[in-house]
């Protein structure tokens, strides 16, 4: 029977309008209402799901589609440094064989480490884990100086070089008249006089000899008024930043689990010796490397000749100088040994130190170094090798007794040679070349740094506070703080998801990480231009007198020491790695320089380069032994390693090569850093969905290419990896939908990585 559509529509309408009559049918009414509710909920769910899918697809489409180009000067410079060889998607089938810096990829260029693994940990990496936080920072600063480019014009510099180049640009920038602060003008003048190579050549050694006479002469020249030993030592340390017998600096007690008070202490350490020292791990004794003593003696004679000392006085005074140096050196010990013997951060009062090492007038010395601060006998200092300090004091007493009546003054001569080493940058080139020749003999194969490099370093010594603030103003604006917060938030999320082996230690670690606050190094001591001018007000620099200017710079160093002890103001702005101070993670502004970061860069470039480097630094800093405390590092790193072996060796041989724990940890750190940086970029992308790019690349394409390039060119941890870290992009893209195109090139013997290689944040 056919129904009338109009009648049917009317029935439906009336039913909607009057669902219940005066004599209702409860069962029918409830069924109908339930049906409507189900239909409504289904429709709402379908709409929400559709919007979510659409939003996801639209976002993924944005990630993978070409973005408008960035045309700022910084971006144009960055574009020139990206080559096709560094693009992980240019040759997806053989990218996993690509060797950093090889200019191409082939099986023959594959890294050879694959076939020869031992079960011994990498020594240098173990050393990093053993020395603790302070030692790690010092080693990282040394490790980051990787020398010259390998010939590729598009190569990123290492981070230390990048920072020095950024400072050079600041110091060489055109004069801006009244808009430039007086402090910045002084820094530029200091740099300019340093770059004037002719200035020290004109005066030769005369300025040093004049200064020597002011200090009472020395026995080498036959004119010496035999000033009191401690008087001369105090003068050299307080006014000339010269520490012949022991080093003095200021810093927190890193021996404590957590220096919550942010208190700084005077710290006393071994001095730097001019010759290599051999360590016998069986007898636990040091001695000067005998094969370098003859060249050391020869360089001593050359210095004396440059100072006009007759050759007939060379033998005796250089012989005594070497004898005293080697006698002092026997009590030194490497950092790892001192750490194992708990010799670092030994707390002792100045009064007790005077009792243990009486040859030094400790109170007078420290009062002079840190004047005008009040230093008392009851103050605590931290000593990093008390046995050396005691041996040094005994040696000084013995040599004073032995040579007092002979008039040879070896202790005074030793101090003057130390002063000569301090002032070498301000003397004529013959002195520097003598030092350089001896360095080459002792195995220094690094190329000689250009003059601008050395002048930037000297300028940084005195003007580090000023330069930190200028870099912050020019480079590290709000974009820098956003990157820091995003990376640390992503890092906390990553660590929270780990499977910990011990609940007690995991709770301690996670609470510590959550309690730490990452911040830029200049955030709490962001001085105004007026305050900066006042800081350098006493400097009176001369146009063509670098020697005089250099002496004033040394006085600035002394001023910064007492300022740090007095105010606890962190001055590591021109460092290149993060550090912990109290409840703060200090992110130095020195990290935020070209080509790794710029406020005009596409965010994909900033997060892919500096974001990934920062994530690696933080993981190494916060979790030096993560592989012993959580299951994920081992399982994830072995998954990545298995994938690498299946690609390069075939799945049948994937289990025949094992990784030692240190390499397992580094693989996990590198892969986690990539995940953390990508997750941080996703946070930023959510807030800023529109951005620019380089070379017509999509956002994700630029991010991954940036990670690959910075890892190949400027990552000092790359040497501890069993394969090129750029292979991690292959692993990430093999089972992730974020990549613009597939990086897999599967063959019959190759399988894709397991799901556990992927972080939950990436799905």
């Amino acid at each position: 029977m056919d129904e009338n559509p109009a009648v049917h529509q009317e029935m439906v309408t009336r039913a909607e309008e009057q669902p219940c009559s005066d004599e209702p049918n409860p069962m029918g009414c409830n069924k109908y209402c339930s049906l409507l509710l189900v239909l409504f909920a289904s429709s709402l769910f379908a709409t929400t799901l559709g919007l979510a899918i659409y939003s996801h697809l639209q976002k993924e489409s944005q990630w993978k589609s070409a973005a408008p180009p960035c045309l700022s000067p910084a971006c144009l410079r960055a574009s020139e440094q990206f080559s096709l060889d560094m693009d992980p998607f240019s040759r997806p089938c053989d990218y996993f064989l690509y060797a950093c810096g090889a200019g191409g990829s082939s099986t023959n260029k594959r890294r050879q480490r694959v076939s020869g693994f031992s079960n011994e940990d990498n020594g240098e990496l173990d050393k990093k884990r053993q020395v603790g936080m302070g030692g790690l920072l010092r080693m990282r600063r040394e490790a980051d100086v990787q020398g010259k480019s390998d010939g590729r014009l598009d190569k990123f510099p290492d981070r230390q070089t990048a920072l020095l180049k950024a400072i050079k640009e600041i110091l060489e920038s055109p004069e801006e008249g009244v808009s430039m602060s007086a402090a910045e003008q002084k820094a530029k003048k200091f740099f300019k006089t340093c770059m004037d190579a002719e200035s020290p050549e004109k005066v030769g050694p005369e300025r040093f000899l004049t200064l020597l006479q002011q200090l009472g002469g020395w026995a080498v020249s036959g004119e010496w008024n035999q000033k009191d030993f401690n008087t001369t030592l105090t003068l050299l340390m307080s006014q000339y930043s010269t520490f012949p017998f022991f080093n003095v600096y200021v810093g927190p007690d890193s021996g404590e689990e957590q220096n919550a008070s942010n208190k700084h202490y005077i710290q006393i350490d071994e001095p730097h010796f001019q010759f290599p020292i051999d360590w016998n791990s069986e007898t636990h004794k040091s001695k000067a490397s005998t094969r370098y003593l003859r060249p050391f003696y020869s360089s001593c004679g050359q210095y004396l000749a440059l100072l006009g000392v007759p050759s007939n006085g060379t033998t005796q005074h250089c012989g005594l100088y070497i004898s005293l140096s080697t006698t002092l050196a026997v009590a030194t010990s490497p950092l790892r040994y001192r750490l194992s013997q708990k010799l670092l951060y030994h707390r002792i009062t100045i009064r007790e130190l005077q009792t243990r090492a009486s040859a030094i007038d400790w109170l007078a010395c420290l009062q002079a170094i840190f004047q005008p601060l009040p230093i008392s006998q009851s103050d605590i200092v931290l000593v990093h090798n008390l046995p050396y300090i005691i041996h040094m004091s005994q040696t000084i007493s013995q040599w004073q007794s032995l040579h007092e009546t002979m008039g040879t003054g070896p202790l005074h001569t030793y101090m003057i040679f130390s002063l000569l080493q301090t002032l070498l940058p301000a003397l004529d080139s013959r002195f520097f070349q003598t030092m350089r020749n001896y360095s080459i003999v002792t195995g220094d194969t690094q190329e000689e740094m250009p003059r601008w490099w050395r002048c930037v370093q000297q300028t940084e010594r005195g003007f580090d506070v000023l330069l930190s603030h200028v870099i912050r103003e020019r480079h590290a604006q709000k974009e820098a703080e956003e990157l820091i917060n995003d990376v640390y938030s992503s890092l906390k999320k990553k660590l929270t998801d780990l499977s910990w082996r011990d609940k007690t230690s995991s709770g301690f670690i996670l609470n510590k990480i959550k309690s730490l606050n990452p911040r830029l190094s200049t955030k709490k001591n962001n001085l105004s231009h007026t305050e900066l001018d006042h800081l350098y007000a006493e400097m009176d620099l001369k146009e063509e007198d670098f020697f005089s200017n250099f002496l004033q710079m040394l006085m600035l160093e002394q001023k910064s020491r007492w300022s740090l002890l007095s105010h606890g103001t962190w001055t590591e702005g021109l460092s290149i790695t993060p550090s912990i101070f109290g409840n703060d993670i200090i992110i130095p502004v020195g990290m935020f320089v070209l080509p790794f970061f710029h406020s005009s860069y596409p965010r994909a470039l900033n997060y892919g380069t500096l974001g990934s480097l920062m994530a690696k630094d933080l993981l190494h800093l916060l979790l030096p032994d993560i592989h012993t405390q959580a299951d994920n590092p081992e399982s994830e790193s072995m998954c990545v390693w298995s994938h690498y072996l299946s690609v390069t060796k075939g799945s049948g041989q994937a289990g025949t090569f094992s990784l030692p724990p240190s390499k397992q940890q580094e693989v996990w750190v590198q892969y986690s850093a990539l995940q953390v940086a990508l997750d941080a970029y996703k946070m930023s992308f959510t807030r800023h969905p529109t951005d620019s790019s380089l070379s017509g690349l999509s956002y994700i394409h630029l991010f991954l290419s940036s990670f690959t390039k910075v890892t190949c060119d400027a990552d000092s941890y790359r040497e501890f990896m069993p394969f090129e870290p750029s292979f991690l992009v292959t692993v990430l893209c093999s089972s992730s939908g974020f990549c613009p195109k597939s990086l897999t090139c599967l063959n019959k013997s190759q399988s894709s990585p397991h799901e556990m290689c992927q972080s939950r944040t990436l799905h």
Side-chain angles (χ1 to χ4, degrees):
M1 178 179 175
D2 296 334
E3 295 183 352
N4 188 323
V7 174
H8 179 73
Q9 178 65 41
E10 183 179 3
M11 290 175 63
V12 172
T13 303
R14 287 180 178 177
E16 290 174 351
E17 292 176 320
Q18 300 177 353
C20 299
S21 63
D22 294 338
E23 297 179 1
N25 182 347
M27 187 173 293
C29 179
N30 288 342
K31 283 183 177 180
Y32 199 76
C33 290
S34 298
L35 178 61
L36 288 176
L37 185 61
V38 170
L39 290 173
F40 175 76
S42 300
S43 175
L44 181 62
F45 175 76
T47 302
T48 304
L49 180 62
L51 288 174
I53 294 174
Y54 175 76
S55 176
H56 174 76
L57 291 175
Q58 186 181 44
K59 187 175 182 180
E60 189 170 294
S61 176
Q62 281 182 294
W63 276 52
K64 296 181 181 181
S65 60
C70 173
L71 300 177
S72 71
C75 285
L76 294 178
R77 288 169 62 178
S79 297
E80 296 174 357
Q81 292 181 307
F82 277 84
S83 69
L84 188 64
D85 286 332
M86 302 305 296
D87 181 4
F89 304 98
S90 61
R91 295 183 311 277
C93 288
D94 65 343
Y95 182 69
F96 50 79
L97 301 178
Y98 180 80
C100 291
S105 65
S106 69
T107 304
N108 292 332
K109 292 178 181 177
R110 186 185 313 166
R111 294 182 75 164
Q112 299 301 314
R113 293 195 217 177
V114 178
S115 59
F117 283 100
S118 69
N119 290 322
E120 298 178 0
D121 289 358
N122 182 286
E124 288 300 313
L125 190 59
D126 277 348
K127 187 187 298 184
K128 288 184 177 183
R129 294 188 1 244
Q130 292 168 355
V131 298
M133 199 170 298
L136 173 63
L137 289 176
R138 286 190 289 272
M139 288 184 180
R140 283 298 316 279
R141 292 191 188 106
E142 294 173 2
D144 268 322
V145 183
Q146 298 171 349
K148 298 286 186 179
S149 169
D150 60 2
R152 283 185 18 235
L153 297 177
D154 62 340
K155 187 180 188 296
F156 273 3
D158 62 82
R159 287 196 273 179
Q160 183 69 42
T161 302
L163 174 58
L164 293 178
K165 285 184 175 180
I167 296 174
K168 178 174 179 284
E169 284 193 7
I170 291 171
L171 297 173
E172 291 182 337
S173 61
E175 299 290 334
E176 299 176 9
V178 293
S179 64
M180 184 170 56
S181 68
E184 192 171 346
Q185 289 178 347
K186 290 179 179 180
K188 290 185 174 184
K189 180 180 287 187
F190 180 89
F191 178 73
K192 182 179 179 181
T193 58
C194 178
M195 289 294 290
D196 181 9
E198 295 182 0
S199 177
E201 304 295 331
K202 294 176 182 177
V203 295
E206 295 303 319
R207 299 298 299 275
F208 181 80
L209 293 173
T210 301
L211 176 61
L212 193 56
Q213 293 304 312
Q214 295 172 2
L215 295 173
W218 61 340
V220 174
S221 64
E223 300 178 3
W224 178 38
N225 63 12
Q226 300 194 35
K227 277 188 176 181
D228 174 69
F229 166 79
N230 273 291
T231 300
T232 303
L233 178 62
T234 298
L235 187 64
L236 293 183
M237 292 194 297
S238 62
Q239 295 190 23
Y240 300 101
S241 199
T242 298
F243 302 91
F245 299 101
F246 53 89
N247 196 10
V248 178
Y249 53 92
V250 176
D253 185 358
S254 297
E256 297 178 348
E257 285 295 325
Q258 188 173 14
N259 183 25
S261 64
N262 290 2
K263 181 177 175 59
H264 281 83
Y265 296 88
I266 297 173
Q267 311 208 21
I268 299 171
D269 206 345
E270 300 174 356
H272 171 70
F273 288 92
Q274 299 300 320
F275 47 80
I277 299 174
D278 292 333
W279 171 254
N280 189 319
S281 58
E282 294 182 358
T283 62
H284 297 158
K285 298 291 183 181
S286 291
K287 69 172 184 177
S289 297
T290 55
R291 63 185 179 278
Y292 298 124
L293 291 183
R294 184 175 294 277
F296 185 60
Y297 175 86
S298 176
S299 67
C300 173
Q302 293 173 39
Y303 285 132
L304 293 181
L306 291 173
L307 293 172
V309 176
S311 58
N312 57 9
T314 299
T315 302
Q316 180 186 33
H317 293 290
C318 285
L320 290 172
Y321 173 53
I322 293 175
S323 178
L324 178 57
S325 300
T326 54
T327 302
L328 291 170
V330 298
T332 62
S333 54
L335 197 59
R336 63 182 181 274
Y337 176 77
R338 286 185 277 160
L339 180 65
S340 68
Q341 300 299 307
K342 302 187 184 315
L343 295 175
L344 301 178
Y345 302 102
H346 178 82
R347 300 168 73 92
I348 188 172
T349 64
I350 296 176
R351 181 181 292 107
E352 184 182 355
L353 183 61
Q354 187 66 55
T355 303
R356 305 288 296 274
S358 58
I360 305 297
D361 188 345
W362 292 101
L363 183 61
C365 281
L366 296 177
Q367 285 177 335
I369 294 172
F370 295 102
Q371 62 178 335
L373 297 182
I375 305 295
S376 67
Q377 295 274 15
S378 60
D379 286 348
I380 296 288
V381 296
L382 304 181
V383 178
H384 297 292
N385 189 351
L386 186 57
Y388 166 80
I389 297 298
I390 295 173
H391 171 79
M392 174 268 301
S393 174
Q394 294 171 345
T395 301
I396 289 174
S397 297
Q398 293 169 1
W399 280 63
Q400 283 177 322
S401 301
L402 182 63
H403 294 276
E404 184 176 4
T405 58
M406 299 173 60
T408 51
L411 293 171
H412 187 77
T413 300
Y414 184 88
M415 290 190 284
I416 297 302
F417 268 118
S418 296
L419 177 62
L420 179 66
Q421 291 295 323
T422 300
L423 299 179
L424 270 181
L427 300 177
D428 73 64
S429 59
R430 295 174 299 168
F431 289 89
F432 176 81
Q433 194 58 49
T434 299
M435 181 270 293
R436 176 64 184 159
N437 291 340
Y438 177 68
S439 297
I440 294 174
V441 171
T442 58
D444 183 4
T445 58
Q446 190 177 24
E447 292 183 37
E448 181 179 337
M449 296 304 167
R451 188 173 185 85
W452 71 262
W453 178 294
R454 304 198 301 271
C455 287
V456 167
Q457 287 183 318
Q458 300 306 327
T459 308
E460 178 190 337
R461 288 178 63 182
F463 294 90
D464 57 336
V465 176
L466 168 70
L467 294 171
S468 295
H469 286 269
V470 175
I471 289 176
R472 179 185 172 91
E473 288 181 353
R474 297 192 180 189
H475 298 278
Q477 298 296 329
K478 65 177 183 177
E479 293 84 2
E481 296 192 11
E482 282 187 14
L483 186 145
I484 292 172
N485 292 330
D486 287 342
V487 168
Y488 198 67
S489 296
S490 175
L491 181 67
K492 287 193 292 185
K493 186 193 307 181
K494 170 75 177 177
L495 298 179
T496 302
D497 289 342
L498 291 181
S499 175
W500 299 90
R501 296 172 181 172
D502 181 82
K503 290 185 178 180
T504 303
S505 60
S506 68
F508 173 78
I509 293 172
L510 293 177
N511 288 335
K512 176 184 177 181
I513 290 171
K514 291 177 181 178
S515 67
L516 292 171
N517 303 306
R519 67 171 176 87
L520 272 173
S521 55
T522 56
K523 191 171 184 179
K524 288 190 177 180
N525 57 323
N526 195 15
L527 304 181
S528 66
H529 285 270
T530 302
E531 291 171 319
L532 287 170
D533 289 344
H534 178 72
L535 183 63
Y536 300 99
E538 297 179 5
M539 292 198 75
D540 182 21
L541 301 179
K542 297 177 173 55
E543 289 289 346
E544 297 183 358
D545 190 355
F546 182 59
F547 189 87
S548 171
N549 295 344
F550 190 83
L551 294 181
Q552 292 187 65
M553 183 275 295
L554 295 179
M555 291 299 295
L556 274 179
E557 276 196 326
Q558 185 271 342
K559 188 175 182 179
S560 67
R561 273 189 289 270
W562 72 255
S563 177
L564 181 58
L565 184 63
S566 174
H567 304 108
T569 303
W570 193 261
T571 58
E572 289 288 336
L574 295 180
S575 174
I576 51 175
T577 51
S579 56
I580 294 179
F581 178 53
N583 290 323
D584 291 330
I585 300 178
I586 310 297
I587 311 293
V589 295
M591 296 178 68
F592 294 86
V593 297
L594 292 169
F596 306 113
F597 180 90
H598 195 270
S599 57
S600 71
Y601 273 177
R603 288 181 174 82
L605 181 55
N606 281 332
Y607 282 75
T609 51
L610 187 56
S612 61
L613 290 175
M614 187 182 298
K616 294 172 194 177
D617 289 338
L618 291 174
L619 285 167
H620 279 287
L621 178 66
L622 299 173
L623 300 167
D625 295 305
I626 181 63
H627 72 284
T628 65
Q629 302 170 49
D631 294 320
N632 308 63
E634 181 179 0
S635 60
E636 290 183 12
S637 62
M638 292 311 296
C639 176
V640 173
W641 176 238
S642 296
H643 182 48
Y644 179 77
L645 291 179
S646 71
V647 167
T648 57
K649 294 289 184 180
S651 59
Q653 303 181 50
T656 60
F657 300 99
S658 62
L659 282 178
S662 61
K663 286 183 167 59
Q664 287 182 22
Q665 174 160 316
E666 192 57 37
V667 170
W668 179 80
V669 167
Q670 294 273 350
Y671 191 48
S672 296
L674 172 58
Q675 295 172 333
V676 166
L678 179 56
D679 189 48
Y681 178 53
K682 288 169 59 182
M683 295 180 191
S684 175
F685 191 79
T686 302
R687 296 192 306 269
H688 310 284
T690 57
D691 198 6
S692 59
S693 186
L694 298 181
S695 306
L697 300 178
S698 65
Y699 299 133
I700 187 62
H701 197 156
L702 178 59
F703 173 90
L704 295 173
S705 296
S706 302
F707 168 81
T708 298
K709 180 166 181 56
V710 77
T711 302
C712 276
D713 288 353
D715 183 9
S716 59
Y717 290 113
R718 181 169 69 86
E719 62 181 295
F720 305 118
M721 288 285 284
F723 50 76
E724 297 295 354
S726 50
F727 174 72
L728 299 174
V729 176
T730 303
V731 180
L732 181 78
C733 292
S734 61
S735 60
S736 170
F738 289 109
C739 299
K741 63 177 74 170
S742 173
L743 269 179
T744 58
C745 190
L746 300 179
N747 53 45
K748 293 181 181 180
S749 64
Q750 178 187 337
S751 59
S752 59
H754 301 296
E755 189 70 16
M756 70 177 186
C757 291
Q758 300 300 322
S759 168
R760 276 183 270 172
T761 60
L762 296 180
H763 294 300

